[in-house]
Amino acid sequence: MRFNDKVVVITGGAGGVGQSLVRLFAREGARLMIADMNESGCRDAAEEARRLGAEVDFLAGNLREKAYCEAVIDRTVERFGGVDILLNNAGVIPRGTIEETSDEMWFTAMEVNLNAVFFLCRAAIPHMKQRGGGAIVNTSSVWGTCPGPAHVAYCTSKGAVAALTGNLGRDCAPLGIRVNAVCPHEINTSMLRSGFERRGLDPDKAVEELNKSVPLGHIAEPEEIADVIAFLASDQARYIAGACLDVTGAKPVSG
């Protein structure tokens, strides 16, 4: 029970990796706050966590709004008395070159992928200081640290998350707060599959083709990313701070 009685905030908790995180942390004794814009998905995730024996609450809303980001932390502190672990897992993937990227695509990427991470960290860190430490795991992307083609808004926002992680990792380490990030490649989630559908592709066949491009044999399943996030949040990673960890199955970014 690596997270027994730890208070854990999970954004994007109704999505693919988010659901895996909820299950994992519930099984390992955490007290959970789930955040997602999908209210019914939050409710379903919370019910599953309760069946696994966890104390859990949720707050649905839009991470593009600063007030909602701050409300998630306020609600967590009111319900559980503090915050120990923050998992900034939520994200969006706008696709397109700069000429294909609208203002809305650009601002959505920045507001969800970057600004929300900033607002949540800023709200949570004072409470972690009061508890003598904590852990934050952000979700960047290997496409942020090594940008791929035709995803200008996504790559820029995720690259900024990597930079933010390095900065916070340095600034917060003396406070006993470890800040790290995972940098995945493709993950077999509904977000990925819906992107294939929008392009008129069969998701199963598209994933099968992607699997062939990974030296380890397949793109990541949500549980495989959740396991790495949990490791970075745990005391097993107690000497890791300010790191951005590639989780790619050895697949490079290609153009």
Side-chain angles (χ1 to χ4, degrees):
M1 302 288 279
R2 289 177 293 177
F3 305 107
N4 195 44
D5 288 331
K6 295 292 186 182
V7 179
V8 182
V9 177
I10 302 173
T11 71
V17 175
Q19 290 179 36
S20 295
L21 288 169
V22 169
R23 294 185 196 106
L24 188 160
F25 279 83
R27 290 189 185 106
E28 296 209 32
R31 305 161 75 196
L32 300 174
M33 172 59 72
I34 300 169
D36 199 289
M37 68 186 306
N38 181 348
E39 186 168 3
S40 63
C42 283
R43 186 174 293 106
D44 291 344
E47 289 175 358
E48 181 173 10
R50 291 189 187 100
R51 288 195 296 270
L52 293 168
E55 186 180 358
V56 60
D57 196 2
F58 70 86
L59 184 64
N62 191 343
L63 286 171
R64 297 180 69 178
E65 300 171 0
K66 171 187 170 184
Y68 170 66
C69 297
E70 294 173 342
V72 168
I73 301 303
D74 289 343
R75 172 81 162 259
T76 304
V77 174
E78 290 168 7
R79 174 68 188 270
F80 300 113
V83 181
D84 296 301
I85 296 169
L86 169 61
L87 307 179
N88 283 308
N89 163 72
V92 294
I93 309 178
R95 297 174 174 86
T97 65
I98 192 166
E99 292 179 288
E100 296 164 341
T101 299
S102 66
D103 291 357
E104 179 70 9
M105 292 165 65
W106 178 263
F107 287 121
T108 299
M110 296 305 156
E111 288 164 357
V112 176
N113 294 349
L114 177 61
N115 293 355
V117 175
F118 171 78
F119 292 136
L120 284 154
C121 287
R122 189 174 67 178
I125 284 169
H127 298 288
M128 292 181 176
K129 285 170 63 177
Q130 290 179 6
R131 292 164 86 87
I136 297 171
V137 185
N138 299 323
T139 298
S140 179
S141 170
V142 70
W143 279 51
T145 55
C146 185
H151 284 66
V152 65
Y154 177 74
C155 292
T156 303
S157 64
K158 290 298 189 178
V161 170
L164 176 64
T165 298
N167 184 270
L168 293 181
R170 173 63 183 86
D171 287 351
C172 295
L175 307 174
I177 301 169
R178 296 183 303 102
V179 185
N180 295 292
V182 291
C183 298
H185 215 309
E186 296 103 346
I187 309 171
N188 189 12
T189 62
S190 59
M191 182 185 295
L192 181 80
R193 289 175 170 270
S194 65
F196 288 131
E197 290 173 348
R198 284 195 297 271
R199 285 174 277 169
L201 301 173
D202 179 277
D204 290 333
K205 291 181 180 179
V207 168
E208 187 177 327
E209 286 302 309
L210 272 182
N211 288 342
K212 297 175 184 177
S213 70
V214 183
L216 206 55
H218 65 277
I219 64 172
E221 293 297 327
E223 295 80 6
E224 292 172 312
I225 303 303
D227 283 343
V228 178
I229 291 172
F231 164 71
L232 289 174
S234 76
D235 287 341
Q236 293 170 306
R238 58 191 173 274
Y239 200 66
I240 302 177
C244 292
L245 180 60
D246 288 357
V247 190
T248 65
K251 177 180 176 178
V253 175
S254 60

